[in-house]
Amino acid sequence: MLHVYGIKNCNTVKKALTWLQDHDIQHTFHDYKKEPVTRKKLDEWEKQVSWESLVNKNGTTWKKLNPEQKATVQDATSANIVLLENNSMIKRPLIESSKGIILGFDEQEYNEKLR
């Protein structure tokens, strides 16, 4: 079964969840607002995808950081500190599947990896 991580009110997460439901793909949803992600989970993900791809620099949370905070994000260790403090800065949705991690919503990628 797939495990989907994100925030319910995120439009990209909504698209992904709708796509999964429309294609009858079983999944569980992990809401960062209700249950923050752990350092252990970030470490697991970073064995499959780069820390850079986990940091959503296009989102509101990143944009609200001051320049000094942004400048501290130099590697996985420093990125994880910021991500643990700001789970909403993790690229969404993040899907754990048997074929690996999928970030964001791309219908073609979902068709290839989830069906």
Side-chain angles (χ1 to χ4, degrees):
M1 180 180 307
L2 301 178
H3 202 102
V4 181
Y5 292 81
I7 299 169
K8 280 276 190 187
N9 64 351
C10 171
N11 288 333
T12 308
V13 171
K14 288 178 186 178
K15 287 179 193 175
L17 293 175
T18 298
W19 189 93
L20 293 170
Q21 290 167 355
D22 289 349
H23 292 86
D24 295 320
I25 297 174
Q26 295 293 314
H27 62 278
T28 58
F29 182 72
H30 178 111
D31 189 337
Y32 294 139
K33 298 284 186 186
K34 294 179 181 177
E35 186 180 351
V37 71
T38 64
R39 175 62 188 253
K40 181 180 176 187
K41 184 55 73 176
L42 286 175
D43 290 341
E44 287 176 24
W45 293 339
E46 288 164 356
K47 290 177 182 170
Q48 298 179 60
V49 297
S50 70
W51 67 267
E52 295 96 338
S53 62
L54 289 177
V55 179
N56 180 8
K57 293 186 177 181
N58 294 320
T60 313
T61 307
W62 174 262
K63 292 175 183 175
K64 287 182 181 179
L65 295 180
N66 65 47
E68 294 79 22
Q69 290 171 306
K70 291 177 184 178
T72 65
V73 180
Q74 299 290 324
D75 55 22
T77 301
S78 57
N80 288 347
I81 291 167
V82 175
L83 292 174
L84 289 170
E85 293 173 359
N86 303 282
N87 276 194
S88 58
M89 201 178 348
I90 300 170
K91 179 85 172 161
R92 307 182 296 266
L94 183 147
I95 300 177
E96 292 178 328
S97 77
S98 60
K99 296 183 180 180
I101 300 289
I102 300 171
L103 293 170
F105 176 73
D106 179 321
E107 192 166 355
Q108 181 178 346
E109 182 178 25
Y110 282 29
N111 277 315
E112 291 171 4
K113 294 183 178 177
L114 301 178
R115 294 185 78 191

